[in-house]
Amino acid sequence: MATVSQTLVREKPSGTAVHWIGGQWLDSGEHGESINPATGEVIGSYAMGGRKEGELAVNAALRAFRETDWKDNRSLRARVLNAMAARFEASAEQLARLLATEVGKVLPHARFETGTVPFNLRFNAALALTDYGRATEVDKDSLSIVIRQPVGVAGIFAPWNAPVALGIRSLAPALAAGCTAAFILPKETAQINALISEVISDTDGLPDGVVNIITSGREGIEYLVETPDVPVISFTGSTKIGRAISAAGAARLKRFGLELGGKAPMVIFDDADLDAVVAQVTSGLTVFAGQFCMTASRAIVQRGIADRFRTALAERLKKVRVGPASDPRSEMGPLINKPNVERVNKMVEDAIAAGAKIIVRGGSVTEGPLTKGAFYRPTLLEVTDSSLPIVQQEVFGPVLTMQVFDTEAEAVLLANDSEYGLSASVWSRDVDRPLRVARVLQHGTVWINDWANIHDEFEAGGFKQSGRGRLRGQAGLDDFLECKHIAFKPGAIKI
């Protein structure tokens, strides 16, 4: 990385993606290069932040929390969130095209991501106005009230696989609650980070320092975890890192909202609509090239439909057109980089060596122009041993395992045989069976005859090692609020 000087400026500099702190643009001491994963080409440069930039971001957020009326002015928060929604709506196509270039998502997938943001912001604008405490008369001369107050500066981290949607998913409720934010995004999406910063910086009414955005990695996150000035962190990423930051934050009893890894099972019964399920499993595996915490990575199929499902799905996966987002015919883009291609391929090779049966090998692209990029074709393996790492570990790539079951009870046992519990789906045309099964699946979201149907009005989060707390819905504010009990005795008038 190149070394440069640091300067805070009001006007955004051209040519390099920089940080946005306290209402000003900040270059930093190191520069890196942004790469298009479909071609390996350099698409821009960026300023890489660390502990110093993290400290500047937190200090700016703390000043804004203490010195502006952001935390006390619900009407202001609602107006700003609605204005921010309009800004993201106007910038949706620009963001989608940059996602396609820097992350490799085909445009329909990129547009899906950017299209989720405006409603999320508007929903949280409504929560800013409608969240309330409660009051009761404990006895004839005693009154108690509970009010909900913002905790202070929120530390937010969103991953590279969906920086726009997942970043706003944490930022919007933090702002609605009255918190200010130190918001870290990863270097893999540095150009997108800068555009997100630009969109937010142009939001009418937003006080300087309420939102501060830096491109950083481990150093920046470690600072947010260590500093006492950040009482809550909303983190989306791997279970491994979620455990590590939870352990580090325990010394300060830091509050964490965590959405972590997933290993989503799709439980398919004999009476499922085969055409519908094959189409949705294909989509569930290939959206974002399988780099999604809710990727459909486990097909658990009843024996009576298994042969037809296997044949139909294999035929469909072999036809998935892998290619760059610049080609409108592409159905699935690349992985984020070539090291991840090697990592995913090793997991598949190890699974095959351990006894997994190849249905569709897929794998790395080894010939033609796509070899310049980080492409990996969809893979389908059939397994009988749930303990294999390919079944138990998050692959974060387009790799699906298939297991066959006979009874409902066996299906539930297979689906729950995982440390993860983020999402699942149940496929059946029976009236009662899907709900019966859904109730005992140990997953935070269960779809019936569907996949990834997400609504901001309803909570999302994980059971077990897939996370802590909830985002979306009314509970989305809870991570960012403290409840305060105020008790007093006004007395009683005797008449």
Side-chain angles (χ1 to χ4, degrees):
M1 286 191 174
T3 301
V4 297
S5 61
Q6 286 187 301
T7 308
L8 278 165
V9 294
R10 276 285 174 185
E11 297 297 322
K12 184 185 177 186
S14 60
T16 298
V18 295
H19 317 292
W20 187 59
I21 298 173
Q24 299 185 74
W25 301 99
L26 176 70
D27 208 332
S28 56
E30 289 186 287
H31 280 183
E33 292 180 333
S34 299
I35 306 296
N36 181 338
T39 64
E41 296 173 346
V42 175
I43 58 172
S45 64
Y46 64 88
M48 184 62 180
R51 190 178 186 89
K52 181 176 181 180
E53 289 76 14
E55 184 175 358
L56 290 170
V58 170
N59 288 343
L62 192 59
R63 283 194 303 274
F65 187 78
R66 291 173 174 170
E67 297 173 9
T68 73
D69 67 344
W70 180 258
K71 63 182 179 296
D72 301 309
N73 193 333
R74 292 170 178 260
S75 296
L76 171 63
R77 301 201 299 266
R79 287 197 305 272
V80 167
L81 285 164
N82 279 315
M84 196 178 292
R87 288 286 299 123
F88 273 97
E89 206 161 47
S91 305
E93 183 64 15
Q94 186 182 5
L95 283 161
R97 290 189 176 277
L98 191 51
L99 280 168
T101 301
E102 191 169 21
V103 182
K105 292 182 182 181
V106 294
L107 273 171
H109 298 172
R111 287 173 177 143
F112 168 76
E113 177 179 344
T114 61
T116 67
V117 169
F119 185 86
N120 183 289
L121 287 161
R122 291 183 176 119
F123 177 75
N124 279 281
L127 288 184
L129 294 175
T130 56
D131 179 64
Y132 55 86
R134 66 185 191 275
T136 188
E137 289 183 304
V138 180
D139 55 42
K140 65 180 180 180
D141 65 349
S142 296
L143 181 68
S144 280
I145 64 174
V146 170
I147 60 174
R148 282 154 61 92
Q149 296 180 308
V151 297
V153 177
I156 293 171
F157 178 83
W160 52 259
N161 62 314
V164 185
L166 299 184
I168 297 302
R169 184 185 63 172
S170 289
L171 180 65
L175 298 182
C179 291
T180 57
F183 184 9
I184 292 180
L185 288 163
K187 64 182 181 180
E188 289 85 355
T189 59
Q191 305 305 312
I192 298 164
N193 307 349
L195 182 53
I196 292 171
S197 300
E198 187 175 337
V199 171
I200 293 176
S201 73
D202 288 338
T203 299
D204 289 340
L206 180 68
D208 289 348
V210 167
V211 180
N212 307 275
I213 303 175
I214 68 170
T215 294
S216 187
R218 180 176 177 177
E219 283 188 27
I221 296 171
E222 285 179 349
Y223 178 75
L224 296 189
V225 172
E226 292 170 9
T227 177
D229 292 329
V230 177
V232 61
I233 288 180
S234 182
F235 173 86
T236 302
S238 72
T239 295
K240 179 180 178 181
I241 297 177
R243 288 171 180 154
I245 62 174
S246 295
R252 295 193 180 277
L253 299 181
K254 186 156 295 199
R255 183 186 300 186
F256 287 93
L258 304 170
E259 195 203 71
L260 307 175
K263 196 70 180 173
M266 303 186 87
V267 182
I268 302 161
F269 287 93
D270 287 343
D271 59 351
D273 180 332
L274 183 62
D275 290 340
V277 74
V278 167
Q280 198 61 276
V281 170
T282 302
S283 177
L285 180 64
T286 58
V287 164
F288 307 167
Q291 300 168 117
F292 185 28
C293 53
M294 293 179 173
T295 290
S297 53
R298 300 174 64 202
I300 299 173
V301 190
Q302 198 162 22
R303 194 171 302 278
I305 200 175
D307 288 344
R308 288 182 294 140
F309 172 81
R310 183 189 300 109
T311 300
L313 182 62
E315 183 178 329
R316 178 66 188 91
L317 291 180
K318 289 175 183 176
K319 293 179 180 178
V320 171
R321 189 179 182 92
V322 176
S326 58
D327 183 346
R329 299 171 299 172
S330 298
E331 295 177 286
M332 188 181 86
L335 301 189
I336 190 63
N337 53 38
K338 287 194 172 184
N340 270 287
V341 171
E342 295 171 4
R343 177 189 58 78
V344 170
N345 201 55
K346 185 177 187 307
M347 292 184 73
V348 171
E349 291 290 347
D350 288 348
I352 295 167
K357 180 181 177 181
I358 300 172
I359 307 301
V360 178
R361 178 58 185 92
S364 309
V365 175
T366 57
E367 297 179 350
L370 294 186
T371 56
K372 296 178 181 178
F375 292 97
Y376 198 91
R377 293 192 173 96
T379 296
L380 173 60
L381 303 175
E382 189 163 354
V383 298
T384 56
D385 182 358
S386 289
S387 69
L388 291 179
I390 201 72
V391 179
Q392 292 296 324
Q393 296 175 10
E394 189 173 34
V395 176
F396 231 58
V399 178
L400 176 70
T401 61
M402 175 179 167
Q403 293 171 277
V404 177
F405 69 91
D406 292 300
T407 67
E408 281 185 22
E410 185 183 359
V412 170
L413 288 172
L414 286 171
N416 287 341
D417 184 17
S418 172
E419 69 173 355
Y420 297 112
L422 188 58
S423 63
S425 65
V426 180
W427 294 80
S428 170
R429 284 182 279 200
D430 185 275
V431 172
D432 298 319
R433 175 185 284 149
L435 182 57
R436 188 166 64 234
V437 172
R439 285 173 59 85
V440 292
L441 290 178
Q442 296 167 357
H443 295 78
T445 298
V446 180
W447 298 287
I448 294 174
N449 296 321
D450 206 350
W451 172 81
N453 189 3
I454 299 168
H455 302 287
D456 288 300
E457 302 94 324
F458 293 92
E459 286 72 11
F463 283 26
K464 300 189 283 189
Q465 298 298 300
S466 283
R468 180 190 302 158
R470 291 295 181 268
L471 289 165
R472 307 189 196 279
Q474 293 184 352
L477 295 185
D478 291 349
D479 282 341
F480 306 103
L481 292 168
E482 292 280 17
C483 288
K484 180 182 287 183
H485 174 211
I486 301 174
F488 53 102
K489 289 187 174 184
I493 297 175
K494 292 183 180 180
I495 300 176

